[in-house]
């Protein structure tokens, strides 16, 4: 949680001091502190509780004593983990000892004399933390760490460290401008948000005037070049598409197993009339892509309108008139639409369909359910629907069983396909996967169960954290916790990868999780502005796309459902049973004059402790702020032509209900 300070100390010679420090922080400094003796749950798993506290803390306070600076001290594991999680580390010098090697670029706060004098400096430091100057100092500390590591690096690590240095140098350049004049930077952010909102209010270009094409909307995902295997499943999809008696295929599997990538790869190949993996030719008359988490969402108006775009203009116009008739039933509208496709092969992909399925596994949108039942019940037509989903809809299963097929995607990738993905992602060798021993990559395959999203998360962790090795991630040796990867391996590794991101990237990911739908960068900036007045999310968004944390479509950004759930789950929630989602500048910029270090709070130095009004950094406050964005982004009433023009109002309503 923002504001939490993790106290790292040795029980051998700082136990009493740590307790006194904890009490002073909470009672006189007004900040939260985490101390193992007080905060570890009785009977809990300390090997996971301590790493969790390190992930959630704003800063680590490292108590320097003779025992804590020793190489054999457990504190070394703690501050190494804090470096991996990109946490500010503030050494508190209790004994006259030198800093450990990995922390030698930090300054310390002196507690060797009077405890009260040390607390005065520490409280001053805490007040300074909310300033842009503190954020700058933290970036500079990280740059100094990287430059130190580069001077001692072997050839295998140089490229990776040089990449870190280049990125940190760019971040420092931007942060220097903010720290030099925070008020001017805040005004630039306000002007940028105002201009972005004005662009969002511009009427959308009418679809009717666009040239007609066989492939409607961009695919919800692009299969990576390192895609492997799934030959058996591709054959089953081919058989479904060839069988004129079948109309709906449900591809069911857990998150991160690669359903969307597999289907999008096959459909992309079909755009050129060829099935992948030498499965032969196949002609298609059109493909419509809809995604519950993409820019073109799954609903009956979109389904109807996009299928109409595959038809001659006069036919589409007459069907549009029928759709607008309030007296016509959904079944009648769909029957008329499907009758316009008497032959050929038209494919509709409904991706991430679980997002439109309720807790009872029924389709939440009654009109959509009627439309899909009509597709199954209608006389012969050429439209085939593919659903990718974690939760198959029960209310479709018994409508026309003979016209439905199911593929259960239960297993991850086998050897050598999983290992091939790990090597291919690390094309430049920076993550030490490309040239890793076969036996080590085989252990990675076994422990990730070969799930593609887990393999990607492994690579993301190693890309974002030069302090961590693959052996440590797998729970073999040296990590802060050394247990095997859990059953929910995708979610666990996504969380580990998130924890290795820098604070700016984490808050951008959180903003996308709050929106739970594709949004432009201005939406992210609007949401975060009360907490970070100088926010500029565009550079972080582009980095996250390259790291495969974020998807980009038509200039808008969104998260994979697993990443979205994890990021949202890290935000404090005042509700015990939350409803599911449908989807300080006046302070001195000069560092305090003590021996101490700089800091970058977890969310980048939010003023007033990270409060938006009285809501704070909570799910309710953020959801309300996101709804306010869509209220600001409404299009002028005179431009309303289709349901899409009312999307800001619908999004606002959805987010206010979630709040």
């Amino acid at each position: 949680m923002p504001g939490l300070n993790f106290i790292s100390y040795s029980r051998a010679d700082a136990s009493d001091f740590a307790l006194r420090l904890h009490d002073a922080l909470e009672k006189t400094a007004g900040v939260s502190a985490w101390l193992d003796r007080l905060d570890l749950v009785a009977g809990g798993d300390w090997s996971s509780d301590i790493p969790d506290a390190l992930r959630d803390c704003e800063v680590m306070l490292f108590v320097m004593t003779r025992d804590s600076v020793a190489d054999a001290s457990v504190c070394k594991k703690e501050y190494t983990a804090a470096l991996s999680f990109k946490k500010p580390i503030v050494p508190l010098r209790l004994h006259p000892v030198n800093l450990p090697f990995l922390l030698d670029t930090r300054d310390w706060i002196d507690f060797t004399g009077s405890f009260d004098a040390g607390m005065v400096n520490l409280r001053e430091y805490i007040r300074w933390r909310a300033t842009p100057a503190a954020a700058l100092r933290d970036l500079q500390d990280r740059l100094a760490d990287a430059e130190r590591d580069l001077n001692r690096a072997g050839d295998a690590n140089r490229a990776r460290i040089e990449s870190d240095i280049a990125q940190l140098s760019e971040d420092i350049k931007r942060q220097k401008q903010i720290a030099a004049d925070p008020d001017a930077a805040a005004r630039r952010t306000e002007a940028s948000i105002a201009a972005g909102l004005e662009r969002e209010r511009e009427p959308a270009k009418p679809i009717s005037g666009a040239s007609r094409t066989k492939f409607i909307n961009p695919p919800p995902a692009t299969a990576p070049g390192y895609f492997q295997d799934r030959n058996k499943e591709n054959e089953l999809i081919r058989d479904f598409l060839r069988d004129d008696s079948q109309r709906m295929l449900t591809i069911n599997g857990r998150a991160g197993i690669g359903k969307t990538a597999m289907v999008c790869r096959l459909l992309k190949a079909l755009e050129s009339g060829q099935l992948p993996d030498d499965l032969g030719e196949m002609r298609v008359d059109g493909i419509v892509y809809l995604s519950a988490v993409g820019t073109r969402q799954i609903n009956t108006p979109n389904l109807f309108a996009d299928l109409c775009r595959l038809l001659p203009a006069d036919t589409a116009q007459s069907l549009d008139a029928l759709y607008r008739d309030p007296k016509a039933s959904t079944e009648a509208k769909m029957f008329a639409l499907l009758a316009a496709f008497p032959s050929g092969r038209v494919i509709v992909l409904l991706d991430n369909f679980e997002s439109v399925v309720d807790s009872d596994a029924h389709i939440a949108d009654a009109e959509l359910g009627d439309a899909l039942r009509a597709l199954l019940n209608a006389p012969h037509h050429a439209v085939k629907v593919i659903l990718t989903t974690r939760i198959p809809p029960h209310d479709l299963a018994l409508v026309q069983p003979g016209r439905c097929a199911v593929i259960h995607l239960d297993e991850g990738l086998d050897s050598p396909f999983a290992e091939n993905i790990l090597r291919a992602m690390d094309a430049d060798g920076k993550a030490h996967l490309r040239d890793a021993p076969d036996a080590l990559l085989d252990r990675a395959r076994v422990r990730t169960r070969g799930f593609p999203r887990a393999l990607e998360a492994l690579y993301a962790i190693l890309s974002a954290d030069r302090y961590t090795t693959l052996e440590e991630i797998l729970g073999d040796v040296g990590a802060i916790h050394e247990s095997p990867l859990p059953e929910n391996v995708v979610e666990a590794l996504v969380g580990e990868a998130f924890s290795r991101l820098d604070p700016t990237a984490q808050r951008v990911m959180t903003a996308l999780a709050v929106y739970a739908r594709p949004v432009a960068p201005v939406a992210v900036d609007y949401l975060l502005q009360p907490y970070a007045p100088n926010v500029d999310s565009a550079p972080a968004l582009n980095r996250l796309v390259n790291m495969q944390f974020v998807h980009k479509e038509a200039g808008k950004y969104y998260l994979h459902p697993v990443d979205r759930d994890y990021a949202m789950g890290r935000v404090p929630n005042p509700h015990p049973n939350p409803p599911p989602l449908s989807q300080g500048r006046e302070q001195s910029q000069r560092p305090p004059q003590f021996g101490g270090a700089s800091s970058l709070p977890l969310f980048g130095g939010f003023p007033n402790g990270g409060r938006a009004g009285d809501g704070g950094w909570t799910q309710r406050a953020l959801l309300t702020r996101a709804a306010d964005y869509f209220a600001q982004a409404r299009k002028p009433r005179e431009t309303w032509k289709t349901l899409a023009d009312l999307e800001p109002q619908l999004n606002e309503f959805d987010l206010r209900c979630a709040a």
Side-chain angles (χ1 to χ4, degrees):
M1 57 182 272
L4 184 69
N5 294 269
F6 182 102
I7 301 175
S8 176
Y9 71 104
S10 170
R11 290 197 180 191
D13 54 7
S15 186
D16 291 341
F17 175 84
L19 282 171
R20 186 178 181 187
L21 176 66
H22 176 276
D23 290 345
L25 286 169
E26 296 220 331
K27 293 177 181 178
T28 67
V31 298
S32 299
W34 194 94
L35 186 68
D36 56 358
R37 292 173 59 185
L38 300 178
D39 293 297
L40 283 176
V41 178
D45 181 6
W46 68 267
S47 66
S48 61
D49 290 344
I50 291 177
D52 288 345
L54 279 168
R55 287 189 192 92
D56 292 342
C57 77
E58 180 178 299
V59 65
M60 169 189 269
L61 302 176
F62 171 54
V63 181
M64 295 171 56
T65 60
R66 295 176 184 86
D67 190 73
S68 71
V69 300
D71 281 344
S73 173
V74 70
C75 294
K76 183 174 182 179
K77 286 187 176 183
E78 293 176 349
Y79 64 68
T80 301
L83 289 170
S84 295
F85 299 150
K86 298 179 175 58
K87 302 295 183 182
I89 300 175
V90 183
L92 308 182
R93 193 169 186 247
L94 181 59
H95 294 165
V97 294
N98 294 324
L99 280 164
F101 174 73
L102 288 177
L103 304 181
D104 63 359
T105 62
R106 270 82 177 162
D107 296 323
W108 39 263
I109 298 177
D110 190 11
F111 277 86
T112 58
S114 164
F115 179 87
D116 292 337
M119 280 304 303
V120 168
N121 286 334
L122 182 55
R123 282 193 291 268
E124 184 181 354
Y125 165 78
I126 290 169
R127 288 192 297 270
W128 180 67
R129 284 172 51 77
T131 68
L136 174 61
R137 269 287 287 281
D138 186 72
L139 289 170
Q140 291 169 334
D141 276 347
R142 287 175 53 201
L143 178 61
D145 290 344
E147 290 173 340
R148 176 206 60 209
D149 293 345
L150 182 64
N151 291 333
R152 295 165 174 81
D155 292 340
N157 290 322
R158 291 190 68 84
R160 169 60 210 283
I161 300 173
E162 287 170 348
S163 177
D164 286 351
I165 289 174
Q167 183 60 62
L168 285 165
S169 298
E170 286 296 316
D171 292 342
I172 287 171
K173 181 180 178 180
R174 284 191 293 268
Q175 191 63 28
K176 280 183 175 179
Q177 294 179 332
I178 295 171
D181 192 342
D183 292 321
R187 289 193 295 271
R188 288 194 297 271
T189 297
E190 290 174 359
S192 174
I193 291 173
L197 279 167
E198 192 61 36
R199 289 192 298 271
E200 291 297 300
R201 296 187 195 104
E202 293 176 0
K205 295 180 180 179
I207 289 177
S208 58
S211 59
R212 311 190 82 76
T213 175
K214 292 172 61 176
F215 312 112
I216 310 301
N217 307 322
T222 300
Y226 50 75
F227 186 93
Q228 295 278 316
D229 198 25
R230 300 305 190 196
N231 297 322
K232 177 182 177 182
E233 290 80 6
N234 284 335
E235 290 176 359
L236 293 173
I237 298 173
R238 176 200 61 188
D239 295 343
F240 163 75
L241 295 175
R242 285 179 174 174
D243 188 344
D244 291 339
S245 69
Q246 293 191 323
R247 298 182 179 177
M248 185 175 293
L249 171 65
T250 299
I251 300 176
N252 171 227
R254 63 184 296 171
I257 205 165
K259 304 181 295 295
T260 299
M262 178 185 72
V263 175
C264 287
R265 176 174 177 265
L266 184 142
L267 295 182
K268 191 64 179 177
L270 282 181
E271 290 185 11
S272 59
Q274 187 73 36
L275 287 159
D277 305 323
D278 300 321
L279 291 178
E281 297 181 357
M282 179 175 288
R283 178 178 174 274
V284 296
D285 298 289
I287 301 174
V288 173
Y289 297 99
L290 297 174
S291 174
V293 299
T295 54
R296 192 68 170 167
Q297 298 200 350
I298 299 173
N299 55 51
T300 305
N302 288 345
L303 175 63
F304 197 96
D306 289 351
L307 282 171
C308 283
R309 293 172 64 188
L310 295 170
L311 298 169
D314 54 347
T315 304
Q317 289 175 2
S318 63
L319 287 168
D320 180 64
L322 174 63
Y323 186 79
R324 293 171 183 271
D325 182 358
K327 296 180 181 179
S329 66
T330 300
E331 181 183 61
K333 296 172 184 177
M334 287 299 298
F335 276 22
L337 172 64
L338 297 168
F341 296 95
S343 61
R345 185 178 291 111
V346 172
I347 305 170
V348 177
L349 173 62
L350 305 182
D351 183 55
N352 284 111
F353 197 78
E354 71 277 353
S355 296
V356 296
V357 174
D358 63 22
S359 57
D360 295 323
H362 296 143
I363 299 174
D365 181 345
E367 185 184 27
L368 178 63
D370 290 344
L372 293 178
R373 282 187 285 273
L375 183 139
L376 290 171
N377 288 324
H380 175 77
H381 59 81
V383 178
K384 288 178 171 285
V385 173
I386 299 177
L387 311 179
T388 64
T389 185
R390 285 179 280 173
I391 306 171
H394 290 168
D395 41 357
L396 294 179
L398 301 178
V399 176
Q400 289 283 354
R403 294 177 174 176
C404 298
V406 179
I407 296 176
H408 296 289
L409 205 60
D410 298 320
E411 301 295 329
L413 299 174
D414 206 344
S415 183
F417 303 113
E419 295 93 321
N420 291 345
I421 283 182
L422 290 172
R423 294 189 192 278
M425 284 190 292
D426 187 27
D428 56 13
K430 292 179 182 177
H432 304 297
L433 292 172
R434 184 189 64 188
D435 304 315
D438 291 342
L440 179 59
L441 294 188
D442 181 66
R443 290 208 300 276
R445 175 190 61 80
V446 170
R447 296 198 178 184
T448 61
R449 301 174 63 186
F451 292 160
R453 185 60 186 144
L455 297 171
E456 291 173 346
L458 266 184
Y459 170 70
I461 293 169
L462 295 171
S463 296
D465 177 17
R466 67 180 182 274
Y467 295 105
T468 298
T469 67
L470 180 58
E471 291 91 341
E472 290 170 348
I473 299 172
L474 299 178
D476 292 341
V477 292
I480 188 70
H481 57 101
E482 299 174 1
S483 57
L485 294 173
E487 176 70 17
N488 60 331
V489 63
V490 175
E491 293 81 358
L493 286 175
V494 163
E496 287 289 332
F498 182 96
S499 298
R500 264 67 174 190
L501 294 173
D502 63 84
T504 298
Q506 286 190 358
R507 66 173 177 251
V508 168
M509 289 271 289
T510 302
L512 292 178
V514 170
Y515 280 111
R517 51 185 44 79
V519 292
V522 62
V524 176
D525 292 346
Y526 182 94
L527 180 65
L528 296 175
Q529 186 191 23
Y531 310 92
N534 316 117
V535 62
D536 178 11
S537 63
L541 284 166
N542 291 329
R543 288 205 305 271
L544 290 166
V545 169
N546 292 334
M547 295 175 70
Q548 299 183 10
F549 278 99
V550 171
H551 300 285
K552 182 180 180 181
E553 181 184 317
K556 296 189 175 183
Y557 299 81
Y558 62 98
L559 299 181
H560 187 285
V562 177
D563 301 79
R564 183 183 66 200
D565 291 346
Y566 180 83
M568 196 65 179
R570 285 175 51 87
V571 181
N573 183 3
H575 297 287
N577 296 299
L581 276 175
S582 66
Q583 331 216 30
R585 301 193 298 275
E586 73 284 356
Q587 297 183 14
S588 170
Q589 299 306 303
R590 189 169 58 86
Q593 298 303 303
F594 50 76
S598 65
S599 164
L600 175 61
L602 179 63
F603 294 104
F606 291 166
N608 305 319
R611 295 189 295 272
D614 295 325
W617 183 263
T618 65
Q619 290 190 16
R620 182 173 184 178
L622 293 173
L623 289 164
T624 300
R625 177 74 178 172
D628 292 343
Y629 165 77
F630 283 114
Q632 294 288 323
R634 291 180 179 180
K635 292 176 172 56
R637 187 181 186 90
E638 62 273 13
T639 67
W640 297 351
K641 302 292 183 183
T642 68
L643 186 63
D645 296 321
L646 298 179
E647 189 171 302
Q649 286 92 322
L650 299 174
N651 289 339
E652 178 194 354
F653 178 80
D654 191 23
L655 287 163
R656 294 207 191 282
C657 287

